């Protein structure tokens, strides 16, 4: 197939140029689905646009085009000669012979309609140039299939002969077309629905009704050909509409009460009018004479029958009737609401009446019970009322008639009924002999008479609380009488009495007893007490009052200390009775006052005793030392250490030096050293000053052993003393480590529940914590190490830590020490 209709030729060069004009071949093949398509050859697939083409039907590529030489001279192309008519007719005949099928031979259903492409393509033209098949073969592929569509539909539940869809609602027959009569628009010739569509979709067609309504509206604009008058239209309002209008106007006017007194000037008429509310404007009527007469126009016609006064009056009557109807409806609604309100009021009053009747009944029963109690309390009654029976009556009142019981005046009722019975009950009572007598019955009356809402506890509550008044007026006089006859040194019975009543008696009454009755008696007895002559220790009749009185006894402690100090002026430590008298007061006095008392009255006596002590290794008397050590638990450790440093260790070290200078037996010295050290408790030995003294003794013995060169030396003495020194220091180190471990454990236990960061994680953190507690600077020394261990400054002391042990720098070597000793040295 030649493609010359698409390309032109460039003169002598023969270069084909692409033409973009639309030719007849384009129109014929554009709408031919069966036109012959160009198949790509193997050479075209390999070389693409550079492939060589020998056939004229092949379309040249754009890549083969050569550039045009515009410098060449102009060459003209001959257009040829026009053919004659005979030649053109012969060409048409040859073209007709080439048609494969005539138009009349094609079935009607395969003839395509006029294509809406805007062109003039007609079926009568020549056949598609590129097509080799006709419309006869259209759809012939169906006979080569195996009915896969039908099978898929049957798998999805389709039944032949029924409609599609879940409920078989689809149509079975295809949509039918109905031929229109003429060339009018859609619907111009009536309904175009077919009988089949009416059967499948039975929908009422309302087009006729719409047409009638349209014609009816259109007729209103046309002039009546008969010239008749139009019928007048009347507007009616029902009673229900008027009622609804009245309700709406009432709702709208309700929030506008503030506008009811507004002055309004109306200038819409011929004359100015003044209204005093907007409501008057809304009720204004159009009076006929208000509007001026309008001049008649050129085309206007005068009214033949006009009665504006009559129309105004009729309208006024209509408005008045409407207002009367609205007012009647409102009055009716008001009366209905009043009926509902009164019915609710009747119901409430009935409930109140029943409640009042019940209250009256309960009050009458309560009054009968009270009158019965008064009758039985008369002197000549055969069945007198007892306190237990009265308590049961009050319990009944509280359980069954609680509201009436709370409303009544319990104070007056108790005064009239309970007080006489209570006096009779406690008439022969002795509190010191039978201290628990009446506690149960008084506890029962407390629950019955005490005011639960009473929060204060003072004498002002007597007028509002029946139980407090009962205890103050009936029970309290017996207590006053018994306290007046009571001896303070016989405190056991009185303390037991108050202990048994402490949970029953009101707090303010108990405070009055302790402050106004008990304390003055004790104070008077303390003033008359003499520690030198009285055989009964004072703590035996003062200390039992501590649980009840506690801080109330503080004013008694100062005179007691003064009298004890006067008694100790001539005391000697050999008398152990002083310790027996003072020991019970250690936990009673405050720590500061107790330490001051010991330093002033006991420590000087013990120092004098130590001064009298003679240290003799050959014949030692230990009585004076025992007298001092026996006070270890009474005086503080610092006071005892001070006594030993001042009065004991100087003499002891002096005796040791003199003994070592006379060729002694070192075994005896070792035993003597260990014996004296065993006389002290661990708490005293742990003190840094005491350890320093014993370490000083060890240093003296070591110097004595090492300095005796050339003289006689006891065999093994040097080794024994060195072993003793090593053993003692190891014991001190172990004891200090154990103390530090206990202290760390105690700190860990106290820190349970606190933040985890506050508990030291290692020994270094513990040292840092202790340094912060005692305001001591603890920091590393930069660039300084000892045996690979970092050096630290603890105050003015240089230390290092090795496996949980603190080493302090001495004169020649590093000495292990405890944390407490380190703190003492740093201070």
């Amino acid at each position: 197939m030649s493609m010359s209709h698409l390309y032109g030729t460039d003169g002598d060069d023969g270069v084909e140029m692409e033409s973009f004009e639309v030719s007849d071949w384009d129109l014929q093949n554009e709408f031919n689905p069966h036109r012959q398509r160009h198949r790509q050859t193997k050479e075209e697939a390999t070389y693409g646009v550079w492939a060589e083409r020998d056939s004229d039907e092949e379309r040249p590529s754009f890549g083969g085009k050569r550039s045009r030489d515009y410098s060449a001279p102009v060459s003209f192309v001959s257009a040829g000669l026009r053919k004659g008519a005979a030649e053109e007719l012969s060409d048409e005949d040859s073209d007709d012979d080439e048609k494969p099928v005539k138009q009349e031979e094609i079935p009607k259903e395969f003839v395509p309609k006029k294509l809406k492409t805007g062109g003039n393509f007609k079926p009568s033209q020549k056949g598609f140039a590129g097509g080799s098949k006709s419309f006869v073969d259209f759809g012939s592929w169906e006979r080569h299939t195996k009915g896969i569509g039908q099978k898929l539909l049957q798998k999805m539940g389709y039944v032949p002969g029924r409609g599609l869809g879940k409920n078989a609602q689809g149509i079975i027959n295809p949509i039918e077309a109905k031929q229109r009569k003429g060339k009018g628009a859609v619907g111009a010739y009536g309904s175009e629905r077919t009988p089949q569509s009416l059967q499948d979709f039975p929908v009422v067609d309302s087009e006729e009704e719409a047409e009638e309504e349209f014609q009816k509206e259109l007729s209103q604009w046309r002039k009546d050909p008969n010239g008749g008058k139009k019928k007048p239209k009347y507007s009616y309002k029902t009673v229900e509409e008027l009622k609804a209008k009245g309700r709406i106007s009432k709702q709208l006017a309700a929030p506008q009460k503030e506008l009811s007194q507004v002055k309004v000037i109306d200038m819409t008429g011929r004359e100015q009018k003044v209204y005093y509310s907007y409501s008057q404007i809304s009720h204004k009527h159009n009076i006929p004479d208000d509007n001026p007469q309008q001049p008649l126009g050129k085309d206007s016609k005068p009214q033949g029958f006009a009665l504006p006064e009559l129309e105004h009056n009729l309208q006024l009557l209509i408005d008045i009737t409407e207002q009367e109807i609205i007012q009647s409806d409102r009055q009716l609604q008001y009366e209905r609401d009043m009926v509902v309100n009164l019915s609710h009021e009747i119901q409430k009053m009935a409930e109140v009446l029943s409640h009042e009747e019940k209250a009256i009944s309960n009050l009458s029963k309560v009054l009968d019970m009270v009158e019965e109690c008064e009758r039985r309390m008369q002197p000549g009654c055969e069945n007198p009322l007892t306190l237990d029976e009265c308590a049961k009556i009050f319990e009944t009142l509280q359980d069954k008639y609680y509201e009436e019981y709370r409303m009544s005046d319990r104070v007056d009722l108790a005064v009239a009924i309970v007080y006489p019975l209570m006096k009779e009950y406690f008439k022969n009572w002795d509190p010191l002999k039978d201290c628990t007598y009446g506690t149960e019955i008084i506890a029962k009356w407390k629950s019955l008479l005490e005011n639960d809402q009473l929060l204060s506890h003072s004498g002002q509550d007597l007028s509002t609380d029946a139980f407090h008044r009962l205890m103050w007026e009936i029970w309290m006089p017996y207590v006053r009488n018994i306290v007046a006859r009571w001896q303070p040194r016989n405190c056991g019975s009185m303390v037991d009495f108050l202990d048994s009543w402490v949970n029953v008696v009101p707090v303010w009454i108990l405070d009055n007893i302790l402050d106004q009755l008990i304390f003055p008696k004790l104070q008077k007895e303390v003033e008359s007490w003499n520690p030198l002559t009285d055989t009964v220790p004072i703590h035996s009749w003062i200390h039992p009052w501590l649980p009840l009185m506690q801080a109330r006894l503080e004013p008694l402690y100062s005179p007691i200390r003064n009298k004890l100090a006067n008694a100790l002026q001539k005391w000697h430590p050999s008398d152990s009775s002083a310790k027996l008298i003072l020991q019970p007061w250690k936990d009673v006095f405050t720590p500061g006052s107790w330490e001051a008392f010991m330093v002033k009255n006991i420590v000087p006596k013990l120092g004098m005793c130590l001064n009298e002590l003679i240290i003799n290794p050959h014949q030692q008397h230990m009585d004076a030392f025992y007298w001092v050590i026996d006070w270890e638990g009474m005086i503080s450790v610092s006071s005892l250490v001070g006594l030993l440093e001042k009065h004991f260790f100087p003499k002891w070290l002096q005796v040791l030096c003199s003994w070592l200078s006379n060729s002694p037996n070192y075994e005896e010295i070792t035993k003597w050293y260990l014996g004296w050290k065993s006389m002290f408790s661990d708490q005293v030995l742990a003190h840094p000053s005491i350890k320093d003294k014993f370490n000083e003794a060890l240093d003296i013995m070591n110097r004595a052993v090492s300095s005796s060169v050339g003289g006689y030396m006891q065999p093994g003495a040097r080794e024994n003393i060195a072993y003793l020194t090593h053993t003692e220091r190891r014991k001190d180190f172990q004891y200090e480590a154990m103390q530090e471990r206990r202290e760390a454990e105690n700190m860990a236990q106290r820190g349970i529940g606190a933040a985890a960061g506050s508990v030291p994680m290692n020994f270094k953190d513990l040292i840092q914590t202790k340094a912060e507690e005692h305001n001591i600077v603890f920091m590393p020394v930069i660039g300084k190490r000892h045996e690979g261990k970092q050096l630290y400054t603890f105050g003015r002391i240089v230390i290092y830590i090795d496996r949980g042990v603190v080493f302090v720098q001495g004169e020649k070597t590093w000495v292990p020490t405890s944390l407490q000793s380190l703190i003492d040295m740093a201070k």
Side-chain angles (χ1 to χ4, degrees):
M1 182 180 65
S2 176
M3 310 254 328
S4 60
H5 64 281
L6 295 177
Y7 297 89
T9 305
D10 187 10
D12 300 333
D13 298 334
V15 180
E16 293 182 351
M17 304 294 292
E18 184 176 359
S19 175
F20 294 96
E21 295 180 357
V22 178
S23 60
D24 293 340
W25 186 91
D26 293 326
L27 294 177
Q28 292 177 2
N29 289 276
E30 181 66 23
F31 305 103
N32 183 12
H34 303 287
R35 66 179 180 270
Q36 184 178 0
R37 298 180 182 274
H38 174 69
R39 297 182 62 85
Q40 189 179 27
T41 62
K42 183 177 181 180
E43 186 177 4
E44 289 178 353
T46 303
Y47 295 100
V49 296
W50 289 278
E52 295 181 358
R53 295 174 177 82
D54 296 333
S55 176
D56 294 335
E57 296 179 358
E58 295 177 356
R59 185 171 181 167
S61 63
F62 292 97
K65 182 175 65 176
R66 292 181 298 176
S67 60
R68 188 171 182 179
D69 187 8
Y70 293 96
S71 61
V74 178
S75 58
F76 295 93
V77 179
S78 175
L81 299 174
R82 179 179 180 84
K83 295 182 181 181
E87 294 178 357
E88 290 181 357
L89 184 61
S90 62
D91 292 340
E92 290 180 1
D93 295 337
S94 63
D95 293 337
D96 294 336
D97 295 337
E98 294 177 358
K99 292 183 181 179
V101 182
K102 291 183 179 180
Q103 181 69 21
E104 291 78 12
E105 296 177 359
I106 301 175
K108 185 178 182 180
E109 57 270 17
F110 291 103
V111 176
K113 296 181 180 180
K114 183 178 181 179
L115 296 174
K116 299 178 181 180
T117 58
N120 295 324
F121 182 79
K122 297 181 181 180
S124 58
Q125 293 176 353
K126 294 187 293 184
F128 292 107
S132 60
K133 296 182 180 180
S134 64
F135 286 100
V136 179
D137 298 332
F138 184 78
S140 60
W141 53 271
E142 281 288 346
R143 60 178 174 269
H144 303 292
T145 62
K146 298 180 180 180
I148 187 64
Q150 185 76 6
K151 291 181 181 179
L152 291 175
L153 288 174
Q154 290 179 358
K155 285 183 179 181
M156 289 184 285
Y158 171 70
V159 178
R162 298 181 61 183
L164 295 176
K166 182 178 180 181
N167 300 320
Q169 67 271 21
I171 61 175
I172 301 174
N173 299 325
I175 299 175
E176 297 179 359
K178 183 177 180 180
Q179 186 176 4
R180 196 173 300 148
K181 298 178 181 179
K183 296 182 179 180
V186 177
Y189 305 99
S191 177
E192 297 185 0
R193 297 190 59 178
T194 61
Q196 182 66 31
S197 67
L198 292 175
Q199 181 181 355
D200 294 337
F201 303 99
V203 180
V204 178
D205 194 354
S206 60
E207 293 182 358
E208 297 178 358
E209 297 178 0
E211 181 66 22
E212 292 178 0
E213 191 170 338
F214 173 74
Q215 294 297 336
K216 183 178 179 180
E217 293 177 358
L218 187 63
S219 63
Q220 296 179 0
W221 298 93
R222 296 175 182 174
K223 187 175 180 180
D224 190 0
N226 300 328
K229 295 182 179 179
K230 296 182 179 180
K231 295 182 179 180
K233 295 183 179 180
Y234 301 97
S235 60
Y236 301 95
K237 288 185 180 179
T238 62
V239 177
E240 299 297 331
E241 292 178 354
L242 290 177
K243 290 180 181 180
K245 178 182 178 182
R247 297 191 189 99
I248 295 173
S249 62
K250 184 177 180 181
Q251 293 177 0
L252 295 177
Q256 298 179 356
K257 292 182 179 179
E258 65 274 5
L259 301 177
S260 60
Q261 302 298 328
V262 178
K263 182 179 179 181
V264 181
I265 300 175
D266 183 12
M267 301 182 68
T268 58
R270 288 183 298 177
E271 297 180 357
Q272 174 180 337
K273 294 183 180 180
V274 178
Y275 300 98
Y276 294 96
S277 65
Y278 287 106
S279 60
Q280 295 182 3
I281 297 179
S282 62
H283 294 95
K284 184 181 69 171
H285 300 283
N286 292 324
I287 300 175
D289 295 337
D290 285 349
N291 296 324
Q293 294 292 334
Q294 298 292 336
L296 295 176
K298 183 182 294 185
D299 298 333
S300 62
K301 295 181 179 180
Q303 295 182 359
F305 185 78
L307 297 174
E309 293 82 0
L310 181 59
E311 292 178 359
H312 169 71
N313 293 336
L314 290 175
Q315 184 65 35
L316 188 61
L317 290 175
I318 291 172
D319 294 341
I320 293 172
T321 305
E322 289 181 357
Q323 292 298 324
E324 290 178 354
I325 294 173
I326 291 173
Q327 292 295 333
S328 300
D329 178 67
R330 292 178 180 176
Q331 185 67 24
L332 179 61
Q333 186 65 32
Y334 172 77
E335 297 296 338
R336 289 176 179 173
D337 295 341
M338 184 62 67
V339 170
V340 174
N341 189 16
L342 292 177
S343 62
H344 287 294
E345 290 292 334
I346 292 173
Q347 185 177 1
K348 290 182 180 179
M349 295 305 296
E351 294 177 357
V352 172
L353 182 61
S354 62
H355 184 268
E356 294 294 337
E357 291 177 353
K358 183 179 179 181
I360 291 172
S361 176
N362 293 336
L363 287 175
S364 62
K365 292 179 182 179
V366 170
L367 185 60
D368 293 340
M369 296 174 68
V370 174
E371 291 176 352
E372 179 65 20
C373 292
E374 292 180 351
R375 186 185 63 79
R376 293 180 62 182
M377 290 180 64
Q378 298 299 326
C381 182
E382 298 179 355
N383 186 16
L385 184 66
T386 62
L387 194 60
D388 293 335
E389 293 176 350
C390 185
K392 292 180 180 179
I393 292 173
F394 271 78
E395 287 179 357
T396 304
L397 292 175
Q398 191 176 22
D399 294 339
K400 295 184 178 180
Y401 310 103
Y402 181 71
E403 294 295 333
E404 290 77 11
Y405 179 74
R406 291 188 60 187
M407 292 169 57
S408 63
D409 193 353
R410 286 177 282 181
V411 178
D412 296 338
L413 188 63
V415 169
I417 299 176
V418 182
Y419 284 16
L421 298 177
M422 193 69 70
K423 289 182 180 179
E424 186 67 24
Y425 183 77
F426 287 106
K427 183 173 60 174
N428 299 322
W429 175 48
D430 188 359
L432 298 181
K433 292 181 180 180
D434 190 3
C435 60
T436 59
Y437 178 79
T439 53
E440 295 181 0
I441 191 67
I442 293 297
K444 184 184 296 184
W445 280 106
K446 181 179 180 180
S447 62
L448 294 174
L449 299 178
E450 191 172 22
N451 192 350
D452 299 335
Q453 299 178 355
L454 195 63
L455 301 179
S456 60
H457 300 282
S458 62
Q460 299 177 357
D461 301 329
L462 293 177
S463 60
T464 57
D465 192 272
F467 177 73
H468 289 196
R469 184 174 176 181
L470 172 68
M471 296 298 293
W472 182 257
E473 296 182 359
I474 304 299
W475 182 82
M476 193 63 181
Y478 294 97
V479 178
R480 291 195 189 98
N481 294 333
I482 200 63
V483 172
R485 295 183 282 108
W486 166 67
Q487 293 297 326
R489 300 198 180 192
N490 299 326
C491 64
S493 58
M494 184 59 70
V495 171
D496 294 340
F497 163 69
L498 293 178
D499 283 337
S500 60
W501 285 86
V502 69
N503 296 325
V504 180
V505 179
V507 177
W508 66 273
I509 293 179
L510 182 62
D511 294 341
N512 182 270
I513 294 172
L514 296 176
D515 294 336
Q516 304 297 329
L517 301 179
I518 302 298
F519 183 77
K521 298 279 287 186
L522 293 176
Q523 190 175 18
K524 185 177 180 180
E525 192 66 23
V526 168
E527 290 176 357
S528 62
W529 170 68
N530 188 357
L532 298 177
T533 59
D534 288 343
T535 58
V536 179
I538 189 173
H539 64 270
S540 63
W541 49 272
I542 292 292
H543 288 183
W545 291 103
L546 288 173
L548 286 173
M549 303 188 70
Q550 296 178 355
R552 291 186 177 93
L553 296 176
E554 286 287 344
L556 300 179
Y557 297 156
S558 180
I560 289 174
R561 286 194 294 267
N562 293 334
K563 290 193 175 187
L564 290 174
N566 294 332
L568 290 172
Q569 289 181 359
K570 297 181 181 180
W571 168 77
H572 191 269
S574 60
D575 186 5
S576 61
S577 62
K579 183 180 178 183
L580 298 176
I581 294 173
L582 295 176
Q583 190 172 10
W585 293 98
K586 181 182 178 183
D587 297 331
V588 176
F589 295 157
T590 60
S593 61
W594 174 258
E595 182 66 21
F597 181 81
M598 289 287 107
V599 171
K600 182 179 180 181
N601 301 288
I602 301 300
V603 173
K605 301 289 185 179
L606 298 179
M608 293 172 59
C609 186
L610 283 178
N611 283 331
E612 297 173 357
L613 176 64
I614 299 173
I615 299 174
N616 187 0
H618 303 289
Q619 188 178 358
Q620 184 67 54
H621 297 283
M622 302 294 295
D623 295 338
F625 184 80
Y626 289 148
W627 296 339
V628 175
I629 293 299
D630 192 32
W631 284 87
E632 181 181 351
M634 300 292 292
I635 63 177
S636 62
V637 176
S638 60
S639 299
L640 182 58
V641 170
L643 285 174
L644 294 174
E645 284 183 333
K646 184 177 181 180
H647 303 287
F648 174 74
F649 278 107
K651 295 189 295 183
W652 186 75
L653 291 174
Q654 185 179 1
V655 170
L656 177 62
C657 291
S658 61
W659 193 5
L660 289 172
S661 63
N662 296 323
S663 300
N665 186 352
Y666 286 97
E667 293 182 1
E668 292 180 359
I669 291 177
T670 302
K671 292 179 181 179
W672 180 78
Y673 171 84
L674 295 176
W676 275 107
K677 191 173 183 180
S678 63
M679 300 300 291
F680 299 97
S681 63
D682 294 338
Q683 188 176 4
V684 176
L685 291 174
H687 197 275
S689 300
I690 302 299
K691 287 195 295 185
D692 291 342
K693 294 299 181 182
F694 281 105
N695 289 331
E696 185 179 352
L698 289 175
D699 293 338
I700 292 172
M701 288 187 285
N702 285 323
R703 286 196 301 267
V705 172
S706 60
S707 62
S708 57
V709 180
Y712 173 75
M713 175 61 63
Q714 182 180 352
R718 184 176 301 174
E719 290 78 7
N720 292 335
I721 295 301
Y723 177 75
L724 176 64
T725 303
H726 179 71
T727 304
E728 291 299 316
R729 290 183 176 174
R730 185 178 62 184
K731 287 181 180 179
D732 293 341
F733 169 71
Q734 292 177 354
Y735 179 78
E736 291 173 0
M738 183 177 63
Q739 290 296 111
E740 291 175 359
R741 192 178 302 110
R742 289 178 182 175
E743 186 176 358
E745 291 177 356
N746 293 334
M747 290 181 62
Q749 291 178 359
R750 288 195 302 267
I752 293 176
S758 62
V759 180
M761 300 303 294
N762 50 37
F763 193 62
K764 178 185 173 183
D765 295 339
L766 178 61
I767 295 174
Q768 186 174 359
T769 304
K770 287 293 183 181
E772 292 175 356
E773 292 177 358
H774 295 84
N775 296 324
I776 299 174
V777 177
F778 175 69
M779 58 184 297
V781 180
I782 300 175
K784 298 292 183 179
R785 290 181 177 273
H786 177 73
E787 297 180 355
K789 306 295 189 300
Q790 176 67 48
L791 296 182
Y792 300 90
T793 57
F794 191 84
R796 285 182 284 182
I797 305 171
V798 180
I799 64 171
Y800 75 89
I801 305 170
D802 185 12
R803 289 176 293 183
V805 181
V806 179
F807 290 87
V808 180
Q809 186 178 17
E811 296 179 358
K812 296 181 180 180
T813 59
W814 293 85
V815 182
T817 184
S818 64
L819 184 58
Q820 186 62 39
S821 301
L822 180 64
I823 295 172
D824 295 337
M825 286 186 289
K827 289 184 177 180

